[in-house]
Amino acid sequence: MKKILVLEDETSIRSFVVINLKRAGYEPIEAGTGAEAFERLKENPDTRLAILDIMLPDIDGFEVCRRIRAQDPHMGIVMLTARTQEMDKVTGLMTGADDYVTKPFSPAELIARIDALSRRLGDAEQQDTGEIIQEPFKLNTRNRTLEKNGVRIKLTQVEYVIMKMFMENPGKALSREDILNTVWGRDYFGELKIVDVNIRRLRIKIEDDSTNPSYITTVWGYGYKWGF
Ligand code: CA
């Protein structure tokens, strides 16, 4: 059974989510506050997925996401955004979330997102061999790590998959749709904006100057290119 943290203070929404997750074969771990979430994760260190609400009684979901991410770059994290403001989504992704679902959501939509994320993590665990070296970067596809000038850069699973896609296609312009399909899957029904936000986050990590990127360059009106 795949354990999944469900952090939501509104009990009606939480039970609705929990029932649907159980039906889909997951083992939900429930929490109503940020503090409770950290406690439950400590008790269940084999939890690989998390659904985080943003508005909570103690600390906000963004902070929970940030703290989980600091300890575990491989956790699959979906944020529940109550408001439809773009800022919420962008902030969530910038703090390290992999995806977001806007309330009100249908169980089918939520489960589809969780299944897609879970599949990606599963693929991620299948071991690969070798490394791709493009100075100053070295991508180790066996232990899924990235180094720049010999210094390890911590990547989320999504960022890793994007980096691998770039490094396997040096100099080739990749459309945002191509990136979305490869990284999030063809059945993903989110927005292309998620690609841009992840690229922005990746640039902050790998570029010498993220406002003037030299490795991941923008191909206007199309997508991005690994600029070698
Ligand atoms: Ca709430």
Side-chain angles (χ1 to χ4, degrees), residues 130-145:
E131 44 191 36
I132 304 173
I133 300 171
Q134 281 155 17
E135 293 298 342
F137 296 100
K138 184 167 92 178
L139 190 78
N140 185 321
T141 56
R142 197 171 47 249
N143 53 22
R144 303 174 67 87
T145 54

Side-chain angles (χ1 to χ4, degrees), residues 7-10 13 53-57 82 103:
L7 171 57
E8 165 65 81
D9 58 319
E10 281 165 70
I13 298 177
D53 184 32
I54 293 169
M55 303 289 275
L56 297 163
K103 291 180 186 174

Side-chain angles (χ1 to χ4, degrees), residues 47-94:
T47 307
R48 308 299 310 128
L49 295 160
I51 297 175
L52 309 178
D53 184 32
I54 293 169
M55 303 289 275
L56 297 163
D58 52 353
I59 51 175
D60 70 33
F62 298 131
E63 183 56 29
V64 176
C65 179
R66 209 174 282 127
R67 290 196 208 168
I68 290 176
R69 201 39 103 215
Q71 292 187 351
D72 183 359
H74 302 307
M75 178 84 78
I77 302 176
V78 175
M79 305 294 291
L80 295 182
T81 62
R83 293 154 291 173
T84 48
Q85 274 118 3
E86 281 301 288
M87 266 329 284
D88 256 19
K89 300 171 181 176
V90 173
T91 310
L93 294 170
M94 291 306 281

